[in-house]
Amino acid sequence: DVVMTQSPLSLPVTLGQPASISCRSSQSLVHSDGNTYLIWFQQRPGQSPRRLIYKVSNRDSGVPDRFSGSGSGTDFTLKISRVEAEDVGVYYCMQGTHWPRTFGQGTKVEIK
Amino acid sequence: EVQLVGSGGGLVQPGGSLRLSCAASGFTFSTTWMSWARQAPGKGLEWVASIKEDGSDKKYVDSVRGRFTISRDNAKNSLDLQMNSLRAEDTAVYYCVRGVVSPGLWGQGTLVTVSS
């Protein structure tokens, strides 16, 4: 199985400051169709996961532009340019290229 | 409204069975892969199973293969997960999910508790 490794697992951030989460995969996530299926989810307390980013860097409709995704191959990053109070929650990366689909352990973002 | 509504969770004894259902609305159900994912209490997310648009292909995570069966009824816009030989480690919130390469819609989740 493809192992997805996130860091850090806990991220205390000051309001208005940037935040960055790393996600590394044990195998390349480039699919045979040429796409790279790396997804980022946000899970607020008590809620279902919400997709933020798909195919590495494509932001979902309604997702604030302070969220951005980047990377390639096996190394990916989610950045929040200026953290707001509503960004508190756990962030997961997931790969949709190989079976079985696998997730990172999750990164808990909290306000200092 | 585009949504997935899961149901069927509850308390079951080890070794028992349970069937989860998911009602889809607001999108063309028959043209998309569907999946189930789960989250144990206080833990991370785990992919459980996926089924192709026409039901001809099914994928399972190793830990549930042979015990769980995913199925769908495109005429009723519904997705099911039959869970047999349940174990304590299957205790989790189970989410119905649309998609399989970039899953973009998650249901509200239904809690399954396996305990004597």
Side-chain angles (χ1 to χ4, degrees), chain A residues 37-95:
Chain A
Y37 296 109
L38 187 283
I39 308 98
W40 289 98
F41 296 97
Q42 175 195 63
Q43 188 175 33
R44 290 173 172 150
Q47 295 187 11
S48 300
R50 169 200 182 196
R51 191 180 69 183
L52 298 176
I53 303 283
Y54 61 96
K55 288 196 287 185
V56 181
S57 59
N58 294 273
R59 200 167 40 245
D60 268 277
S61 173
V63 174
D65 60 8
R66 63 179 181 275
F67 289 93
S68 64
S70 63
S72 63
T74 62
D75 200 349
F76 306 93
T77 302
L78 176 70
K79 292 182 178 178
I80 310 173
S81 59
R82 296 171 305 279
V83 171
E84 297 191 6
E86 66 178 17
D87 300 336
V88 165
V90 182
Y91 292 77
Y92 295 93
C93 62
M94 178 205 143
Q95 62 84 14

Side-chain angles (χ1 to χ4, degrees), chain B residues 33-106:
Chain B
W33 278 74
M34 293 295 297
S35 304
W36 289 95
R38 66 185 179 183
Q39 186 170 34
K43 302 298 183 182
L45 298 168
E46 180 183 34
W47 208 259
V48 174
S50 297
I51 185 168
K52 197 176 178 181
E53 296 93 331
D54 61 359
S56 63
D57 194 8
K58 302 176 184 181
K59 305 287 190 184
Y60 299 93
V61 69
D62 283 350
S63 59
V64 309
R65 187 176 292 112
R67 300 187 299 122
F68 290 12
T69 301
I70 188 171
S71 61
R72 65 191 297 162
D73 185 334
N74 286 344
K76 296 181 179 179
N77 288 349
S78 68
L79 177 73
D80 286 349
L81 185 68
Q82 176 66 42
M83 303 185 295
N84 298 329
S85 304
L86 283 160
R87 306 166 180 167
E89 54 265 35
D90 295 319
T91 294
V93 173
Y94 284 74
Y95 294 101
C96 172
V97 184
R98 181 180 72 178
V100 72
V101 291
S102 294
L105 179 66
W106 293 59

